[in-house]
Amino acid sequence: MKKLAILGSTGSIGTSTLSVCESFPDRYRPVALAAGQNVETAFAQCARWRPQVVSMATEELASQLQLLLKAEGITNMEVVHGTAGTVRVATLPEVDFVVSAIVGVAGLEATYAAVKLGKTIGLANKECLVAAGELILAAAKEHNVALLPIDSEHNAVHQCMRGGEAREVRQVWLTASGGPFRNTPLAGFEHITPAQALKHPTWVMGQRITIDSATLMNKGFEVIEACRLFSLPASQVQVTIHPQSTVHSMVEFIDGSILAQISVTDMRLPILYALAYPERVDATPAPGLQFDLTALNQLDFSVPDLNRFPCLQLAYEAAETGGEACIALNAADEIAVAAFLEGRIPFLGIPRTIERVLEQTSNQHPSSIHEVLEADLRARACARDVIAHQFSGVLR
Ligand SMILES: NC(=O)c1ccc[n+]([C@@H]2O[C@H](COP(=O)([O-])OP(=O)(O)OC[C@H]3O[C@@H](n4cnc5c(N)ncnc54)[C@H](OP(=O)(O)O)[C@@H]3O)[C@@H](O)[C@H]2O)c1
């Protein structure tokens, strides 16, 4: 029985992880949960799973949850809050496996603390690796920790990498659905609304990652993530537009062989792979994970147009620079995406904001999580400033 801590239990990945636990109750049990604002869902999860510890984003939310638990007669659960709370969840001695799925850098300290305690990590949160990958990988190496990617592309690459040695890899191909605007002419990009951008053609995900998929920034983050997870330079990580989202990524070896991973577009599968690794488990108890190969009749691949998706180009540049550039890329994107969703900047305001922030970012390499978080705050302030000055008259 693997005992899990789930950071971001109320989110899309968190609930998919709990669904996997539901399907395999003899294998995986959540013993610690960390949520943000959603008290109602956190309460339902506590009532169902009876974790030892649960954390909410703030003290007030933790008190609300405690009241609900008390009314239900649940009095022996430790309810904590804030960053210290997520760290407590991730470092609980009973926990064997930490699913890192808090959106943004809010889960960074907890994930880092878990790595330092030698816990196996299922990494969904890409911002952790983008912002603090250099530190997290160094700690993982020092403590002999397995970082198992849950992000479907890296999970696919991880699976394909088992077919050869790292030195035999020519390049990695990350597939991208291309998002809802892969065929939109450049002129149409100025008028894209949040509602249009939130309609992802193949995946159902949280709001930020859905917008990041529409700008291809999500793919840009994945390029950085792949460089870090698989120790590759950005030049060996390619992106290909694959609208069917059937091939989740590929690894090309030096002899010309390309291994691809194909499966349904359902995050429960990479979660199950990571939880079961190095084994594979029969997925029959989790309905819907089998891929019907007989229904497959077309696989298209094409080169992304960097003029229409400047975020991807910005990410490649940040991947080459590393350090604070990657932190600023992520932080500025988060601020710009929020501003776009609130109708304060246009769709193309997202890459424009990030570009301005990157121009003002130093190329230092932080040597602690504290320095990472400081650089993150600086980049956020800079992004807010750029938005306030450059888009003050722009209202959708
Ligand atoms: N969804 C996918 O298919 C997918 C695929 C690959 C990678 N990822 C990555 O996985 C991560 C999670 O994505 P998601 O789609 O699951 O996002 P989501 O649905 O927006 O969920 C985010 C989770 O983070 C929690 N959270 C936010 N701020 C918090 C804070 N300050 N303290 C504690 N918890 C906090 C939220 O809690 P509340 O809801 O309670 O506020 C929620 O549980 C992201 O980094 C994303 O890029 C997601």
Side-chain angles (χ1 to χ4, degrees), residues 130-312:
V130 170
E134 292 156 14
L135 294 172
I136 290 181
L137 281 153
K141 199 170 170 196
E142 186 186 339
H143 298 278
N144 199 20
V145 163
L147 288 178
L148 299 166
I150 284 179
D151 209 352
S152 60
E153 292 76 2
H154 305 83
N155 187 273
V157 171
H158 192 272
Q159 299 199 35
C160 296
M161 286 286 191
R162 294 168 87 175
E165 298 292 326
R167 62 187 158 76
E168 295 165 344
V169 172
R170 174 166 291 145
Q171 57 194 346
V172 159
W173 289 92
L174 299 178
T175 54
S177 72
F181 310 122
R182 66 173 184 277
N183 298 320
T184 305
L186 185 55
F189 273 59
E190 285 293 352
H191 310 292
I192 289 169
T193 64
Q196 290 168 325
L198 284 171
K199 275 200 196 118
H200 193 277
T202 39
W203 294 94
V204 178
M205 306 176 288
Q207 283 207 344
R208 179 180 176 202
I209 188 174
T210 305
I211 302 298
D212 284 343
S213 300
T215 60
L216 286 202
M217 181 53 100
N218 183 48
K219 213 47 56 179
F221 290 148
E222 289 176 6
V223 168
I224 298 171
E225 230 185 321
C227 292
R228 291 180 164 167
L229 279 170
F230 305 108
S231 303
L232 293 168
S235 56
Q236 274 180 276
V237 181
Q238 307 296 328
V239 172
T240 177
I241 302 290
H242 168 50
Q244 291 86 7
S245 296
T246 299
V247 173
H248 296 300
S249 279
M250 297 172 274
V251 176
E252 181 178 339
F253 290 92
I254 46 177
D255 63 358
S257 294
I258 299 179
L259 297 191
Q261 188 260 347
I262 290 181
S263 60
V264 289
T265 52
D266 187 321
M267 290 308 292
R268 287 177 304 155
L269 198 136
I271 292 168
L272 180 61
Y273 170 85
L275 289 176
Y277 181 81
E279 289 175 60
R280 286 191 185 266
V281 299
D282 176 359
T284 312
L289 291 188
Q290 302 307 320
F291 185 85
D292 179 7
L293 206 59
T294 60
L296 175 66
N297 52 20
Q298 197 173 347
L299 293 177
D300 297 306
F301 299 97
S302 62
V303 177
D305 175 357
L306 296 183
N307 287 324
R308 288 190 302 135
F309 297 104
C311 283
L312 184 56

Side-chain angles (χ1 to χ4, degrees), residues 8 10-13 35-38 101 103 124-127 151 205-206 267:
T10 46
S12 168
I13 294 289
Q37 311 282 331
N38 192 340
V103 70
N125 172 304
K126 52 193 84 197
E127 297 88 346
D151 209 352
M205 306 176 288
M267 290 308 292

Side-chain angles (χ1 to χ4, degrees), residues 379-396:
R380 278 164 203 271
C382 183
R384 285 192 195 97
D385 202 47
V386 168
I387 289 168
H389 286 95
Q390 300 212 351
F391 300 102
S392 51
V394 182
L395 275 180
R396 306 192 53 85

